Amino acid sequence: MPDFTVREYAFISVDYKGCPISSLDHAYIPEKAFEHLCELAASFSKHGAKVFELAGRRKLKLDQYVGVIETPCGTRIEILPKHVELNGTSDKTIIQDERKLLQKMLSVSLHLPYREAGSANLNRFKQPLHEWIMTQFLASFECLVQRGLRFDYNRVKEEQKFLRGQLQHVKYMRQTPAKKHIFPIEHDVYEVNRPENRLIRTALEVVCKKTKDAGNWKLAQELRLMTSEIPRSQKLQQDFRQWQSGRLLALYAEIKPWTELILGEYMPVSTQEEWRGMSLLFPMEKLFEHFVAYHLRRNSPAWNVRTQHATEHICEHRQSKIFKLKPDIFIERPNAKSIVMDTKWKLIDQSDRGGRYGLKDSDIQQMFTYSHYYLKHESEVVLIYPYRKDKFTQALDDFEFRLTTSAKLRVVPFNLDEPQNFKII
C-alpha cells in the first residue's frame, strides 16, 4: 500500500477512478483505509478528542493533530504541521521543512535524545516520521549492544538429576520412590532476561515488521540475530513499570523514550484490543507550548519557567475551590514582576486591523482572567503566536485593559526557525 503525506486541516477522501492526484492538502486513500478512519473518528469523538471531522459523506477533514496513522490494510498517513506557506514552493521542500520542524518539536516535548552528528544523518528529514523514530531507536540499540547489555539474576524452579542451589525439601519428600533420583531445586540464573531487554526486543520485532527503509531493515535484522536469546515481553505495562534507572542502567536512558514511542503508540484516547499499527498522534498546541517553554528556559536561564501552572481557581463551591486556571507558561523573574503567557497554534495577520488581527474574544478574555487572578493587574500577560513571513513578523501594539492602566496584553510572534533569538524583553 502507498504512503500518504498531508498537513494539518487537510482533506481525506476515498480514492476513485479518475480522482485527482493526492497533495499535501487533499489525500485520496483506499476505501478500506477510509472506513477505518471513520471508525477512529467516531471513537475519538466519544472521548472528546477532535482528530477528524466529517466534511461530507466521503470526506474527512483533519484537525490540529500531527503524526502517523496506520490502517489494517497497510495504508500509512503522515500528518505534518502546517507551518510553511506554499507560495510556489515545491512539495518536497515543504515536506522536508515540516518534518524537520516536527522532529525538533517532538524531541523537545518528549525529551528524545536523538543523534544529530555525522554524515549518515544528513538525510533524516527525508524520512517519514515513523521511519525517523525507528532509525533513532535502532541507532540507540546498536550503541547499547556495543557497550554491553545488562544482565540480572532470575529465580528458576526446576527438576534436575543433580543438586544445584536450594533443594525444595517438602516437595522432594512427597515424591514417589520412583522419582527419588529427581531433585526439585530452586536457584538463580544470571541472564539477559530482564524487563528493559524484553521491551527493547519487542520493539525491535515491531521495527522488523513495519520498516520500509532498506537501511533500517538491514540493521534491524542484524540486531535481531545478535539478541535472539532475549524473549519478548508478554506484559508491556508491567515491564514498563519495572524499568529501572540509576547509574548501572544509565545506558538505557537514551533508548527508553524511543521504545515507548514504538510500543506505547501515542494516541489521543485508549483503543485497546483494536488495531493500532504504528500510529502516533500529537496535538500541535501542546508541542508548540513545550517548544516555546523549552527555548525560554534556554534563552533566559535566570528565569523560573513553569508550564501548566495551576494555583488559582475562579470559583468556590461548598467551601472548596473549583475551576482551576492553568496558564500555559508562568515565569518568575528575580527582582521583577512575574509574567503569564499563553501559546496559540493559530495564524494571525498583523495587517488585518479591521478583523482584529484574527484574535479571538475567548483568548483575550482568558488573558484578562489570568491577569486578574495571578498578577492582580500589576504586570503584563503575553499571547504567543507562530511567526509568519509577511503576515506576522513583529509584536502588535500593546493592548491596555480598560479597568487598569498598569496591566497590558502583548501579542508577539515566535519564529520556529530561529527559536534561539526569542526574547520577551
Side-chain angles (χ1 to χ4, degrees), residues 80-180:
L80 299 175
K82 194 171 184 178
H83 165 59
V84 179
E85 301 286 349
L86 293 176
N87 294 333
T89 309
S90 66
D91 285 358
K92 288 185 178 180
T93 302
I94 292 175
I95 290 173
Q96 186 170 335
D97 291 341
E98 301 290 26
R99 282 175 179 165
K100 178 180 178 180
L101 172 63
L102 180 54
Q103 290 169 16
K104 288 194 300 184
M105 297 180 80
L106 283 177
S107 301
V108 167
S109 299
L110 303 180
H111 309 288
L112 301 176
Y114 74 98
R115 301 166 181 271
E116 242 183 331
S119 58
N121 293 295
L122 293 178
N123 295 326
R124 67 184 182 281
F125 300 133
K126 296 181 180 179
Q127 292 181 309
L129 179 64
H130 52 280
E131 291 290 354
W132 173 73
I133 291 173
M134 289 187 281
T135 298
Q136 301 300 324
F137 168 79
L138 292 172
S140 298
F141 193 16
E142 183 182 28
C143 181
L144 183 62
V145 170
Q146 291 172 351
R147 295 184 180 182
L149 296 171
R150 287 294 176 185
F151 285 61
D152 199 4
Y153 286 101
N154 292 315
R155 178 67 63 169
V156 176
K157 294 182 180 180
E158 58 182 354
E159 293 183 348
Q160 293 289 352
K161 296 181 180 180
F162 54 84
L163 282 173
R164 180 184 181 185
Q166 183 180 3
L167 177 67
Q168 295 179 292
H169 295 278
V170 176
K171 189 174 182 180
Y172 180 69
M173 295 297 293
R174 291 176 178 175
Q175 290 184 165
T176 62
K179 292 187 63 179
K180 287 298 182 181

Side-chain angles (χ1 to χ4, degrees), residues 40 43-44 265 267 269-276:
L40 273 182
S43 174
F44 293 151
E265 297 172 353
M267 292 287 275
V269 296
S270 175
T271 53
Q272 291 182 351
E273 298 180 0
E274 298 179 12
W275 169 266
R276 297 179 69 178

Side-chain angles (χ1 to χ4, degrees), residues 111-332:
H111 309 288
L112 301 176
Y114 74 98
R115 301 166 181 271
E116 242 183 331
S119 58
N121 293 295
L122 293 178
N123 295 326
R124 67 184 182 281
F125 300 133
K126 296 181 180 179
Q127 292 181 309
L129 179 64
H130 52 280
E131 291 290 354
W132 173 73
I133 291 173
M134 289 187 281
T135 298
Q136 301 300 324
F137 168 79
L138 292 172
S140 298
F141 193 16
E142 183 182 28
C143 181
L144 183 62
V145 170
Q146 291 172 351
R147 295 184 180 182
L149 296 171
R150 287 294 176 185
F151 285 61
D152 199 4
Y153 286 101
N154 292 315
R155 178 67 63 169
V156 176
K157 294 182 180 180
E158 58 182 354
E159 293 183 348
Q160 293 289 352
K161 296 181 180 180
F162 54 84
L163 282 173
R164 180 184 181 185
Q166 183 180 3
L167 177 67
Q168 295 179 292
H169 295 278
V170 176
K171 189 174 182 180
Y172 180 69
M173 295 297 293
R174 291 176 178 175
Q175 290 184 165
T176 62
K179 292 187 63 179
K180 287 298 182 181
H181 66 292
I182 303 296
F183 300 101
I185 58 177
E186 185 176 350
H187 61 95
D188 290 332
V189 177
Y190 192 58
E191 58 183 356
V192 75
N193 182 13
R194 57 180 299 150
E196 300 85 357
N197 294 334
R198 290 196 297 268
L199 289 168
I200 295 171
R201 171 69 184 189
T202 307
L204 180 63
E205 293 295 328
V206 173
V207 172
C208 290
K209 293 179 181 179
K210 300 294 183 182
T211 185
K212 296 180 181 180
D213 182 84
N216 284 347
W217 186 87
K218 180 181 178 181
L219 180 55
Q221 296 300 327
E222 292 175 356
L223 292 171
R224 193 181 193 181
L225 291 174
M226 295 168 63
T227 58
S228 58
E229 71 277 10
I230 304 176
R232 301 183 190 180
S233 175
Q234 302 301 320
K235 298 179 179 179
L236 296 180
Q237 298 301 323
Q238 179 178 328
D239 281 348
F240 270 119
R241 286 194 295 269
Q242 294 177 353
W243 189 300
Q244 299 179 14
S245 58
R247 183 176 58 85
L248 295 177
L249 290 169
L251 297 176
Y252 283 77
E254 181 176 323
I255 198 173
K256 183 179 180 181
W258 301 113
T259 307
E260 290 175 332
L261 274 175
I262 293 173
L263 296 180
E265 297 172 353
Y266 283 62
M267 292 287 275
V269 296
S270 175
T271 53
Q272 291 182 351
E273 298 180 0
E274 298 179 12
W275 169 266
R276 297 179 69 178
M278 185 70 181
S279 298
L280 309 158
L281 288 175
F282 308 91
M284 273 304 301
E285 287 185 350
K286 287 296 179 183
L287 294 181
F288 185 52
E289 172 193 325
H290 289 293
F291 195 67
V292 172
Y294 171 79
H295 285 285
L296 276 172
R297 294 188 184 100
R298 292 194 63 180
N299 300 341
S300 305
W303 293 359
N304 181 15
V305 180
R306 286 181 282 180
T307 56
Q308 295 298 309
H309 179 69
T311 58
E312 300 292 337
H313 300 71
I314 296 180
C315 301
E316 287 190 6
H317 180 68
R318 294 183 178 180
Q319 298 182 345
S320 62
K321 297 179 179 181
I322 60 174
F323 303 124
K324 284 184 178 180
L325 286 170
K326 290 185 178 181
D328 292 340
I329 301 173
F330 185 81
I331 299 177
E332 291 178 330

